Amino acid sequence: MEPDLHELLRSLRVWDPEVTALPPFDPATAPAAPLPLFTRWFAEAVAAGQTEPHTMSLATADAEGLADVRIVMLHGADNDGWSFATHAHSRKGGHLAARPYAALAFYWPVLGRQVRVRGPVGAAPAREGQADLHARSTGALAAALTGRQSEALGSAEELARASETAWERARRAPDAPVPSWTLYRLRPDEVEFFQGDARRRHVRLRYRRGAEGWGRELLWP
């Protein structure tokens, strides 16, 4: 018998106190710019045991404006922006070529926190993209060398053969170039920090970039 989706949904709890702590967040103490607060929250998510805190949702739109979203890995965040990587010929790479604007979302349920980021996206210089790739694991390089991301796949066997060849090359040549591999940086226009509250008085602090720097405002939950 197939599971009843609605029964499953009704049985679930949000922020079960056995696994989730909802720390207080006073926005009056937040720094003037979003990056230091993001770094602090990220470190606190790691310390709290959040699984894969560096994964994030990446939302893009195609040339017709149709939205798409997927989970990717954060490669860094600094004054140049929040960075992630993919093949330029991938689906998301094509979206970013047509519409170089995107949104990111982090969710750390162990603390009841979200961070949302959106802004224009640009490609880093090719040498930075290759350096970023070669600083990662052999498996990451093998996956990049396998290539053909987002293309139709004929069979699982075809993938297995291509992957095995890529793994062999990655082990043999750890600096092998992957010209299509691109490091992208999202330069935020807006960054929102969401702290959940047990009484549903959630705190939402939004940073918005202006001509004279960052402004801050609270949002209704």
Side-chain angles (χ1 to χ4, degrees), residues 95-186:
H95 287 185
L96 292 170
R99 291 176 176 263
Y101 198 92
L104 310 174
F106 297 84
Y107 181 45
W108 301 318
V110 70
L111 295 172
R113 286 176 170 172
Q114 298 181 54
V115 180
R116 301 167 61 199
V117 187
R118 67 176 188 167
V121 178
R127 65 181 183 280
E128 293 184 27
Q130 295 302 296
D132 174 79
L133 175 61
H134 295 134
R136 299 176 68 202
S137 66
T138 301
L141 176 59
L145 286 166
T146 302
R148 302 184 66 178
Q149 188 177 34
S150 302
E151 295 181 19
L153 175 65
S155 67
E157 291 75 20
E158 182 181 359
L159 172 59
R161 289 192 299 270
S163 177
E164 188 60 35
T165 299
W167 271 92
E168 290 176 4
R169 186 181 179 197
R171 294 188 188 101
R172 186 176 66 253
D175 294 327
V178 185
S180 62
W181 189 256
T182 304
L183 183 69
Y184 292 93
R185 290 197 176 100
L186 186 156

Side-chain angles (χ1 to χ4, degrees), residues 8 56 69 86 98 116 126 140 153 188:
L8 285 172
M56 59 188 184
V69 67
T86 188
R116 301 167 61 199
L153 175 65

